[in-house]
Amino acid sequence: MTENRIPLAGVIGHPIAHSRSPKLHGHWLRTYGLQGHYIPMDVASADLETVLRTLPKAGFVGANVTVPHKEAALRLADHVSDRASVIGAANTLVFRDDGSIHADNTDGYGFMENLRSGAPDWNPKDGPAVVLGAGGAARAVLCALADAGVPEILLTNRTRTRADHLKEEFGQRITVVDWVQAGNVIENAELVVNTTSLGMQGQPELRVPMDGLQPGTVVTDLVYAPLKTRLLQTAEEAGCTTVDGLGMLLYQAVPGFERWFGTRPEVDAATRAAALA
């Protein structure tokens, strides 16, 4: 990147108008007094490759990638980090000076940092985790939990074959549980994670029975609209430690911002407020 160019970055998805990332990165740029801009880009799947190859020529230093482009971005990248390769999707791209694309996935990092911040007493080695869902977000969560040393991960999904497929990929530490049995395994869990979109505004509620929740169990929901989902509300009433999904969005953004704009941002109360504004 030439010295006199203002660094540009953004988030690519379809649709993208709902994204909170521009508010978040805009807040950090202002807070640290940095030159740069971060914009939302609504890109159809058919145009993704053309756009990604063009952005470096327009002064872009990188981009976040969200639904439905995370897998395609990984395939189009010239260089891929180990964790993006294992997860099978990219969410953070860095454009190198020669125009080549480096793909990384910071979702697992964001998930773990949010968990450590919201539930500092949780010890991954203390016992099993129950993970609801087997989509793209679940892949990042499974990687992060396995890396952190969680001894057993009980994975359940409405379509069992998807969960079975993830077990094949991620190995022995994962036990697949039928969706109708999900409520039965929760009582022995140290951690419960909802990676599905159930409970999100405009989506059906998560209907897994939660009466097995024990006081002190850590419960986190990747959904952050609403901020307090019915799952978190139920868990709070049961005496659990709850961690909302907004922090994952904030923490996953930290490594990308640092690479693009040269400053490592803090996630604090003002950051949360800016993302929710």
Side-chain angles (χ1 to χ4, degrees):
M1 164 109 348
T2 51
E3 284 304 306
N4 55 358
R5 265 185 154 182
I6 293 174
L8 305 176
V11 58
I12 300 170
H14 185 62
I16 203 61
H18 66 284
S19 175
R20 294 182 185 273
S21 294
K23 287 178 178 174
L24 169 61
H25 288 271
H27 164 75
W28 281 336
L29 286 165
R30 289 189 302 277
T31 300
Y32 299 105
L34 300 172
Q35 281 209 314
H37 297 282
Y38 183 102
I39 61 165
M41 292 176 271
D42 192 326
V43 176
S45 296
D47 300 324
L48 183 65
E49 182 166 11
T50 307
V51 169
L52 288 181
R53 294 295 170 202
T54 305
L55 287 176
K57 299 171 188 168
F60 279 77
V61 290
N64 285 123
V65 185
T66 187
V67 177
H69 300 318
K70 287 184 171 189
E71 288 84 8
L74 187 79
R75 290 194 297 273
L76 293 168
D78 305 294
H79 316 276
V80 175
S81 73
D82 289 346
R83 59 186 172 181
S85 179
V86 170
I87 293 168
N91 76 330
T92 304
L93 306 178
V94 175
F95 303 139
R96 296 183 172 171
D97 289 343
D98 62 359
S100 65
I101 299 167
H102 179 271
D104 193 10
N105 192 308
T106 64
D107 281 335
Y109 166 83
F111 170 75
M112 288 304 297
E113 287 299 304
N114 186 39
L115 209 46
R116 290 188 178 116
S117 163
D121 295 335
W122 174 70
N123 180 348
K125 297 180 175 62
D126 278 351
V130 172
V131 175
L132 308 170
R139 298 176 70 92
V141 167
L142 293 175
C143 275
L145 292 177
D147 285 349
V150 172
E152 184 185 16
I153 300 166
L154 301 159
L155 178 64
T156 183
N157 190 56
R158 284 174 292 178
T159 313
R160 181 175 170 128
T161 47
R162 291 189 73 171
D164 287 333
H165 181 61
L166 286 188
K167 178 182 168 61
E168 279 170 34
E169 275 189 68
F170 289 98
Q172 291 309 306
R173 224 179 299 183
I174 292 175
T175 303
V176 176
V177 177
D178 280 329
W179 187 250
V180 291
Q181 297 297 326
N184 299 340
V185 294
I186 279 167
E187 62 188 73
N188 297 319
E190 290 291 324
L191 172 71
V192 177
V193 187
N194 177 35
T195 73
T196 75
S197 61
L198 296 172
M200 187 189 284
Q201 280 164 7
Q203 297 285 337
E205 284 295 344
L206 177 66
R207 299 241 176 263
V208 173
M210 290 292 161
D211 38 2
L213 284 174
Q214 304 295 316
T217 301
V218 178
V219 179
T220 184
D221 199 330
L222 270 50
V223 170
Y224 57 82
L227 207 50
K228 189 182 280 191
T229 58
R230 186 180 289 179
L231 168 63
L232 295 185
Q233 214 168 323
T234 304
E236 208 171 81
E237 287 160 9
C240 301
T241 301
T242 60
V243 183
D244 68 50
L246 182 65
M248 178 173 167
L249 173 79
L250 307 182
Y251 284 106
Q252 63 80 30
V254 168
F257 186 92
E258 182 179 22
R259 283 174 209 154
W260 305 323
F261 301 114
T263 295
R264 190 169 186 84
E266 288 283 316
V267 173
D268 54 16
T271 309
R272 278 181 70 91
L276 288 170

